[in-house]
Amino acid sequence: MIDLKSMSIEEITELLRSFGEPAFRGKQVFTWLHKGVRSFDEMSNLSKSLREKLKETCLLTPPTVARKQVSGQDGTIKYLWELADGNCIESVLMRYHHGNTVCISSQVGCRMGCAFCASTVAGKVRDLTPAEMLDQVLFTQQDAGAEVSNIVLMGIGEPMDNLDNVLKFLELVNHPDGMNIGMRHISLSTCGVLPGIARLGELGLQLTLSVSLHAPDNATRSRIMPVNRAYDVDALFAACHDYFQKTGRRISFEYAMIDGVNDTDEKADLIAKKIKGMPGHVNLIPLNDVVESPFKPSHRISAFQKRLESHGVTATVRRSLGGDIDASCGQLRRKAMEEAQKGEDSQ
Ligand code: SAH
């Protein structure tokens, strides 16, 4: 079956042309898909015979809501979506003053192995298609009845490990005949896969690149982030520098504060030293407690922030949303998988 929703207008037009349809049908079908229709029958301006032909040849398999948790504190909504093949992924809708942001997953699981992260515990199952990334935005918006204005690729998975599909997704979601979400309203987060950063830099997209730093020295970073053994801290900063030169876009460094691991003043001093000459910004994240992990949240966040600022480095503390609903990445999927496992064990 053809994955129609992962295709550009031009590709859809070409396909429909091969069915003997006129060129303008491509845009019609694309527009319907990006409105979030659930069946070809909803495409009311197409002939019945074309709708039948599309049903026979193309996929249209919206995800279903497997679980949904709404925060009583701030209206954050966490979705566990079940995909057509039974795999589950998460998205989170966050409501900010500047608009609604949806955090989406890029893979089923993750193979990066960060020691503090719930998404990677059971490894990677598969990459998501462009359509499966788009569907998270479309159906979160539809289900929540809240217009999405910003997207962050910070859910389950490593976007740079699925970059072809991620780039295609960006092209789709950015398209004026689709959701038309501007690149400046999109952030992509990576643990530091350097070939991906280089490739993205060449494209010069105006999105925001977030880099998960979490430690400024190789000993600590390699311990908590295996990717550092392949691409070390200095190579990472060099790649970030290059990225800034090429795109003119300031990089956001994510830094989850872990008790006794990366939260000393010396670490802040080293970050300041290495970030020098690059307009970067450090986003301090209160560590989410993951059951499987030995790491605990640090109590030194504001001291660390002050230390960074004393060196002239801008640092913000991420406001935690959805603290009452397992809203951090990978936790809901883990929980559902464990419960399914327990169910099987007890049978
Ligand atoms: N793979 C990408 C994007 C997904 S993770 C990346 O690594 O950037 C999104 C962010 O959440 C990353 O900065 C990641 O390091 C961070 N994160 C993972 N587990 C966390 C936890 N337990 N507490 C706080 N942040 C965490």
Side-chain angles (χ1 to χ4, degrees), residues 81-99:
W81 300 107
E82 184 171 336
L83 305 173
D85 66 354
N87 276 305
C88 287
I89 49 161
E90 294 173 22
S91 319
V92 186
L93 177 78
M94 293 162 289
R95 299 164 197 270
Y96 295 105
H97 293 301
H98 60 267

Side-chain angles (χ1 to χ4, degrees), residues 71-114:
S71 165
Q73 295 166 358
D74 51 42
T76 297
I77 306 180
K78 176 137 199 173
Y79 290 95
L80 185 72
W81 300 107
E82 184 171 336
L83 305 173
D85 66 354
N87 276 305
C88 287
I89 49 161
E90 294 173 22
S91 319
V92 186
L93 177 78
M94 293 162 289
R95 299 164 197 270
Y96 295 105
H97 293 301
H98 60 267
N100 296 317
T101 297
V102 62
C103 174
I104 65 165
S105 299
S106 57
Q107 297 177 315
V108 179
C110 183
R111 62 188 184 115
M112 293 296 135
C114 297

Side-chain angles (χ1 to χ4, degrees), residues 110 112 114 116-118 153-159 189-192 210-212 214 225 254 256 285-290 318 328-329 331:
C110 183
M112 293 296 135
C114 297
F116 46 82
C117 180
L153 278 143
M154 287 193 187
I156 297 170
E158 168 52 45
S189 181
T190 178
C191 62
S210 292
V211 170
S212 299
H214 304 321
M225 299 178 72
E254 308 296 304
I285 312 172
L287 184 80
N288 281 300
D289 230 337
V290 174
R318 182 181 292 172
S328 62
C329 49
Q331 300 208 46

Side-chain angles (χ1 to χ4, degrees), residues 49-326:
S49 64
L50 176 56
R51 291 190 315 233
E52 290 305 319
K53 178 84 180 164
L54 289 172
K55 272 187 230 171
E56 283 161 23
T57 53
C58 298
L59 291 171
L60 186 55
T61 47
T64 54
V65 178
R67 289 185 188 207
K68 176 177 170 182
Q69 296 183 337
V70 183
S71 165
Q73 295 166 358
D74 51 42
T76 297
I77 306 180
K78 176 137 199 173
Y79 290 95
L80 185 72
W81 300 107
E82 184 171 336
L83 305 173
D85 66 354
N87 276 305
C88 287
I89 49 161
E90 294 173 22
S91 319
V92 186
L93 177 78
M94 293 162 289
R95 299 164 197 270
Y96 295 105
H97 293 301
H98 60 267
N100 296 317
T101 297
V102 62
C103 174
I104 65 165
S105 299
S106 57
Q107 297 177 315
V108 179
C110 183
R111 62 188 184 115
M112 293 296 135
C114 297
F116 46 82
C117 180
S119 300
T120 199
V121 176
K124 180 182 110 170
V125 178
R126 68 171 175 85
D127 291 331
L128 293 184
T129 64
E132 287 168 330
M133 288 181 251
L134 181 68
D135 279 346
Q136 295 173 65
V137 187
L138 282 172
F139 294 110
T140 294
Q141 176 168 282
Q142 199 176 87
D143 184 273
E147 195 177 336
V148 169
S149 49
N150 301 284
I151 298 171
V152 295
L153 278 143
M154 287 193 187
I156 297 170
E158 168 52 45
M160 298 298 192
D161 192 37
N162 183 21
L163 192 52
D164 287 339
N165 287 349
V166 165
L167 291 174
K168 191 62 182 272
F169 157 71
L170 293 174
E171 180 192 328
L172 295 176
V173 82
N174 181 233
H175 199 283
D177 293 315
M179 296 200 76
N180 198 17
I181 295 183
M183 283 294 168
R184 283 174 182 260
H185 294 264
I186 301 175
S187 293
L188 183 155
S189 181
T190 178
C191 62
V193 181
L194 300 199
I197 295 179
R199 196 171 150 205
L200 200 61
E202 292 297 331
L203 293 173
L205 301 177
Q206 290 300 292
L207 52 74
T208 299
L209 180 65
S210 292
V211 170
S212 299
L213 181 62
H214 304 321
D217 62 289
N218 284 322
T220 312
R221 196 163 189 272
S222 291
R223 177 155 81 92
I224 57 178
M225 299 178 72
V227 68
N228 195 71
R229 296 172 206 154
Y231 309 110
D232 76 17
V233 169
D234 294 318
L236 175 62
F237 276 109
C240 290
H241 204 86
D242 220 44
Y243 183 89
F244 173 72
Q245 294 298 325
K246 292 207 170 87
T247 62
R249 301 284 294 162
R250 189 178 77 151
I251 290 175
S252 172
F253 292 95
E254 308 296 304
Y255 202 91
M257 296 289 294
I258 312 174
D259 181 42
V261 174
N262 65 357
D263 60 347
T264 59
D265 282 346
E266 293 78 65
K267 297 280 193 260
D269 297 345
L270 194 56
I271 294 174
K273 196 171 151 202
K274 297 206 169 179
I275 221 171
K276 229 185 180 117
M278 190 191 332
H281 150 261
V282 180
N283 194 10
L284 301 172
I285 312 172
L287 184 80
N288 281 300
D289 230 337
V290 174
V291 188
E292 288 89 349
S293 127
F295 300 114
K296 296 292 156 223
S298 165
H299 299 290
R300 298 201 71 250
I301 300 185
S302 58
F304 200 83
Q305 180 185 23
K306 286 198 186 87
R307 187 81 175 194
L308 283 171
E309 284 174 341
S310 76
H311 294 292
V313 176
T314 38
T316 47
V317 181
R318 182 181 292 172
R319 196 160 59 97
S320 248
L321 293 179
D324 53 335
I325 56 163
D326 295 313

